[in-house]
């Protein structure tokens, strides 16, 4: 009976309602079988007694009895399914760990290699003939793999050894002589090497992308760190500036209150003087009034008439009608606020300039002049910190990096990222050029200084004309003549600023610049101009500040 059920399909033992193997199967009048509990539940839900399969309707609900034959067959099928499941589980546990030798009997040993020709895996002992027998030596051995039958051509049962480039698939030798005869094919090992090299290149590209992104993460973290440092400095500078402004306001308020108090004291003192004079007048008038009253009371006609001509109506006193005591405070606050506003504006401008200069000075770098770039008409000091012009052309090597006629020289140090600052003394000069230049600037013949040509500079001409060479030039109006000029560059921000160091004032800024190559400090002391411009440009030492 078991043999009979083994050839039956699984669907024949499944209930169409629960889709599981029959449990107490029953047969209804139309001939279809169901689990007893399933059909009972179905008819309980649906009032009409109808077959779920053929839809036959029964006038009365059939009496349900378990079919013993089908029940026995279902039990046998269930038991065989459990055995197969257990067998598969054991096989999976054996194969999931490692590939076993196909030749070993009894306890199978771990396979050392798999043969693509024999389509079998061998342990160390059974692999020995492949190393000894000449015919077997030509077989291709690989690390142990499962399912070697997958490496056979499904059509010819031959090893997959060639690669069809036309169809991009692995084929056997027979395929190359039949279906793929007109196609382009190469040995599978050759295509493997090509694909492996391609994978290597792809992996290298991906690794490079990973590295670039890790670098970008570091850059972003560094940017956040720098931003935090800038924020902290900005906060400290703001506190310093606003504290100074608040102190100025408090001093202005104290001065205003002192002024009002002093004015009130003056008014009170003036009033006291007026009151004293008035009291003296009253005393004199009352004395005269008493004399007049005494004379008017006399009965001596002769005395009255003789005394009357010598009497004045009143003693001489001050005319008080126009005298006023009044202090006007109208407009005093407005005038004080206006004066304070002007003072604060100047103070704030000075404080901000001081703070800004101190901020950029922390990026100071040690710049020295590069003699290989200096014009033949320039003389450099031995320490590379000073440069001045000469009337005579000096005998120097004709380097391609040298400025030929323009009296220019570059710094040795180059910058392609970050921020840097340096200071130059220009005292005693009537003409000079200062700034930065990109590495690829033209250095032969006459040169026009402009950002378009790779120069970001300012100059002085004739001792008074300051100009930013922004192409076109921008005339600069300076309150004082700089003796020290500071140059600050923020490469990523595209910013180049020039400062009057002693006045702590901004001279000019190039903004929105786009830098794509190295930048070098640029200097030109210009011609000696008849002996009035002989002073050198001097690079000043400056310590790092926080």
């Amino acid at each position: 009976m078991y043999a009979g059920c083994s050839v039956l399909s699984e669907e024949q033992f499944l209930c169409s309602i629960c889709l599981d193997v029959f449990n107490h199967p029953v047969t209804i009048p139309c001939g279809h079988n169901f689990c007893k509990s399933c059909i009972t539940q179905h008819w309980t839900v649906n009032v009409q007694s109808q077959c779920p399969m053929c839809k036959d309707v029964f006038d009365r609900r059939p009496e349900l009895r378990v079919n013993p034959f089908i029940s026995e067959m279902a039990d046998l099928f269930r038991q065989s399914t459990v055995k197969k499941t257990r067998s598969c589980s054991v096989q999976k546990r054996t194969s999931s760990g490692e590939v076993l030798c196909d030749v070993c009997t009894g306890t199978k040993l771990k396979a050392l290699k798999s043969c693509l020709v024999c389509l079998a895996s061998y342990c160390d002992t059974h692999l020995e003939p492949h190393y000894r027998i000449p015919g077997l030596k030509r077989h291709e051995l690989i690390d142990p793999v499962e399912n070697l039958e997958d490496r056979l051509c499904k059509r010819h049962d031959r090893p997959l050894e060639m690669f069809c480039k036309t169809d991009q698939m692995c084929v056997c030798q027979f395929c190359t002589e039949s279906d793929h005869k007109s196609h382009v094919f190469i040995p599978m090992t050759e295509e493997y090497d090509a694909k492996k090299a391609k994978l290597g290149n792809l992996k290298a590209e991906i690794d490079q992308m990973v590295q670039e992104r890790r670098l970008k993460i570091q850059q972003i973290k560094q940017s956040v760190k720098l931003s935090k440092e800038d924020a902290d400095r900005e906060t400290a500078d703001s506190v310093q500036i606003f504290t100074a402004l608040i102190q100025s306001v408090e001093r202005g308020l104290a001065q205003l209150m002192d002024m009002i108090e002093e004015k009130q004291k003056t008014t009170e003192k003036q009033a006291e003087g007026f009151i004293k004079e008035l009291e003296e007048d009253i005393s004199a008038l009352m004395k005269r009034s008493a004399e007049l009253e005494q004379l008017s009371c006399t009965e001596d006609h002769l005395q009255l008439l003789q005394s009357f001509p010598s009497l004045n109506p009143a003693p001489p006193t001050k005319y008080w009608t126009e005298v006023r005591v009044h202090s006007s405070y109208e407009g005093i606050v407005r005038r004080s606020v206006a004066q304070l506003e002007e003072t604060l504006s100047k103070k704030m401008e000075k404080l901000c300039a001081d703070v800004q200069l101190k901020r950029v000075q922390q990026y100071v770098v040690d710049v020295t002049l590069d003699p290989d770039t200096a014009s033949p008409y320039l003389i450099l000091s031995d320490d590379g910190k000073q440069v001045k012009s000469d009337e005579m052309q000096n005998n120097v090597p004709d380097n391609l990096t040298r400025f030929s006629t323009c009296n220019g020289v570059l710094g040795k140090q180059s910058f392609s990222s970050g921020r840097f600052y340096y200071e130059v003394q220009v005292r005693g000069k009537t003409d000079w050029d200062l700034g930065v230049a990109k590495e690829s600037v033209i250095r032969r013949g006459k040169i026009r200084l402009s950002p378009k040509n790779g120069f970001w500079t300012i100059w002085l001409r004739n001792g008074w004309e300051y100009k930013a060479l922004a192409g076109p030039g921008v005339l600069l109006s300076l309150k004082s003549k700089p003796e020290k000029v500071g140059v600050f560059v923020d490469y990523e921000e595209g910013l180049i600023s020039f400062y009057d160091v002693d006045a702590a004032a901004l001279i000019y800024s190039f903004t929105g610049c786009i830098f794509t190559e190295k930048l070098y400090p640029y200097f030109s002391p210009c011609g000696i101009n008849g002996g009035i411009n002989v002073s050198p440009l001097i690079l000043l030492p400056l310590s790092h500040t926080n």
Side-chain angles (χ1 to χ4, degrees):
M1 184 176 293
Y2 176 77
C5 80
S6 64
V7 298
L8 297 176
S9 64
E10 180 180 357
E11 289 78 5
Q12 293 175 289
F13 296 95
L14 298 182
C15 171
S16 61
I17 296 177
C18 66
L19 301 179
D20 201 355
V21 179
F22 288 123
N23 185 20
H24 298 93
V26 295
T27 304
I28 61 177
C30 63
H32 291 114
N33 300 302
F34 304 94
C35 296
K36 184 176 182 179
S37 59
C38 292
I39 191 64
T40 302
Q41 177 67 21
H42 177 76
W43 284 341
T44 301
V45 175
N46 300 278
V47 177
Q48 193 177 30
S49 298
Q50 184 182 36
C51 176
M53 295 288 290
C54 64
K55 306 302 181 184
D56 279 357
V57 179
F58 312 114
D59 295 334
R60 52 186 298 180
R61 180 175 295 186
E63 183 179 355
L64 301 177
R65 293 183 179 180
V66 175
N67 189 322
F69 175 76
I70 297 177
S71 178
E72 184 178 355
M73 294 290 289
D75 290 338
L76 289 173
F77 179 80
R78 188 180 291 108
Q79 292 173 9
S80 67
T81 303
V82 170
K83 289 180 180 179
K84 289 180 181 178
T85 302
R86 289 177 179 174
S87 176
C88 291
S89 299
V90 172
Q91 184 177 0
K92 286 181 180 178
R93 286 197 297 270
T94 303
S95 62
S96 61
E98 54 190 22
V99 178
L100 302 180
C101 178
D102 292 325
V103 182
C104 289
T105 58
T107 303
K108 291 184 176 291
L109 299 178
K110 177 182 176 182
L112 185 64
K113 291 288 183 180
S114 294
C115 178
L116 295 180
V117 178
C118 302
L119 294 179
S121 298
Y122 302 102
C123 65
D124 188 24
T125 302
H126 294 112
L127 184 64
E128 187 271 337
H130 278 77
Y131 294 132
R132 177 171 48 84
I133 301 174
L136 295 179
K137 286 183 178 181
R138 292 193 295 271
H139 290 189
E140 184 177 357
L141 300 176
I142 61 173
D143 290 334
V145 294
E146 298 179 359
N147 303 323
L148 283 170
E149 62 274 8
D150 292 341
R151 297 175 179 271
L152 287 177
C153 175
K154 304 298 183 185
R155 182 171 182 180
H156 302 108
D157 286 332
R158 299 290 296 172
L160 299 171
E161 332 179 82
M162 307 298 290
F163 182 79
C164 178
K165 296 181 71 67
T166 305
D167 291 339
Q168 290 292 302
M169 61 183 295
C170 295
V171 297
C172 70
Q173 191 66 41
F174 286 178
C175 290
T176 64
E177 299 171 358
S178 55
D179 298 344
H180 299 264
K181 186 175 182 179
S182 61
H183 294 178
V184 178
F185 51 86
I186 60 175
M188 191 167 63
T189 55
E190 186 177 332
E191 181 65 18
Y192 166 82
D193 292 338
K195 287 290 194 294
K196 190 172 183 180
K198 198 169 186 178
L199 287 175
N201 294 335
L202 181 59
K203 182 180 183 303
E205 292 178 6
I206 293 175
D207 290 345
Q208 178 65 25
M209 293 171 66
V210 170
Q211 185 63 27
E212 290 173 355
R213 279 151 181 77
R214 285 176 176 169
L215 179 60
K216 179 57 68 175
I217 289 175
Q218 294 301 319
Q219 291 174 348
I220 292 174
K221 288 182 178 179
Q222 182 65 18
S223 297
V224 172
K225 179 182 177 182
L226 293 176
S227 177
K228 178 64 167 59
E229 292 174 355
D230 288 344
D232 292 341
R233 282 194 297 270
E234 195 69 29
T235 300
D237 294 342
S238 299
V239 170
Q240 177 185 350
I241 292 173
F242 275 83
T243 299
L245 293 178
I246 290 172
Q247 291 173 350
S248 296
V249 171
E250 290 175 346
R251 284 195 299 269
L253 176 60
Q255 291 172 358
L256 176 60
M257 294 176 65
D258 290 342
M259 183 188 303
I260 294 174
E261 184 179 356
E262 186 64 29
K263 191 168 185 180
Q264 178 61 23
K265 288 181 178 179
T266 302
T267 300
E268 291 176 357
K269 187 175 181 179
Q270 183 184 34
E272 289 176 358
F274 288 157
I275 291 173
K276 184 177 180 180
E277 289 185 40
L278 286 169
E279 289 177 344
E280 290 175 351
D281 285 356
I282 290 172
S283 178
L285 289 172
M286 290 181 66
K287 181 178 180 181
R288 179 55 56 87
S289 176
E291 292 176 351
L292 292 176
E293 183 179 0
Q294 181 180 2
L295 185 61
S296 63
C297 293
T298 182
E299 297 296 333
D300 188 343
H301 300 80
L302 179 61
Q303 182 183 3
L304 175 63
L305 292 175
Q306 289 177 341
S307 300
F308 188 82
S310 61
L311 294 175
N312 290 323
T317 58
K318 186 174 182 178
Y319 184 70
W320 292 95
T321 303
E322 301 298 330
V323 174
R324 296 286 188 274
V325 176
H326 177 67
S327 294
S328 175
Y329 298 97
E330 183 69 26
I332 188 172
V333 175
R334 179 179 56 79
R335 289 192 299 271
S336 296
V337 170
Q339 183 179 358
L340 179 60
E341 183 180 3
E342 181 180 358
T343 302
L344 289 178
S345 178
K346 292 180 180 179
K347 189 174 187 65
M348 184 172 64
E349 182 178 351
K350 182 66 168 62
L351 286 170
C352 290
D354 288 342
V355 168
Q356 180 63 27
L357 183 58
K358 290 179 181 178
R359 186 178 300 169
V360 301
Q361 282 178 334
Q362 68 181 315
Y363 300 105
V364 62
V365 293
D366 184 19
V367 176
T368 53
L369 303 171
D370 185 358
D372 291 336
T373 65
S375 162
Y377 295 92
L378 295 181
I379 300 175
L380 274 59
S381 63
D382 293 338
D383 61 358
K385 294 295 185 180
Q386 299 187 29
V387 58
K388 64 180 180 179
S389 297
D390 193 359
E391 290 182 333
M392 303 297 295
Q393 182 174 351
N394 297 296
N395 185 18
V396 293
D398 188 18
N399 301 323
L400 293 177
T401 58
R402 189 181 303 282
F403 290 97
S404 60
T405 57
C406 173
N407 279 10
V409 60
L410 298 179
K412 283 185 178 181
Q413 294 73 22
S414 64
F415 304 90
S416 55
S417 65
R419 303 165 182 171
F420 63 94
Y421 173 86
Y422 59 92
E423 291 182 359
V424 185
Q425 180 178 297
V426 296
R427 182 189 307 148
K429 298 193 64 61
T430 61
D431 301 82
W432 49 257
D433 305 336
L434 289 176
V436 295
K438 64 182 184 181
E439 186 176 28
S440 62
V441 292
I442 297 174
R443 309 183 191 190
R444 319 301 288 179
K446 188 175 181 180
I447 296 173
R448 179 179 176 81
L449 302 180
S450 69
K452 181 179 179 181
N453 296 330
F455 293 89
W456 290 267
T457 57
I458 62 172
W459 77 13
L460 168 66
R461 291 294 184 269
N462 304 317
W464 59 270
E465 180 185 335
Y466 293 92
K467 183 181 288 187
L469 306 181
V474 178
L475 285 174
L476 305 175
S477 178
L478 307 184
K479 295 180 179 179
S480 60
K481 183 176 181 179
E483 293 189 350
K484 298 177 186 176
V485 175
V487 183
F488 171 71
V489 178
D490 187 330
Y491 194 96
E492 283 75 19
E493 192 69 22
L495 171 70
I496 303 174
S497 297
F498 299 85
Y499 293 89
D500 180 344
V501 176
D502 293 327
L506 177 66
I507 297 176
Y508 185 79
S509 288
F510 291 91
T511 59
C513 307
I514 299 176
F515 305 129
T516 58
E517 55 184 275
K518 293 179 181 179
L519 296 180
Y520 290 83
Y522 173 78
F523 313 87
S524 175
C526 299
I528 61 175
N529 197 11
I532 64 174
N533 190 43
V534 296
S535 298
L537 293 175
I538 303 175
L539 281 162
L540 298 173
L542 190 66
S543 300
H544 284 271
T545 57
N546 294 323

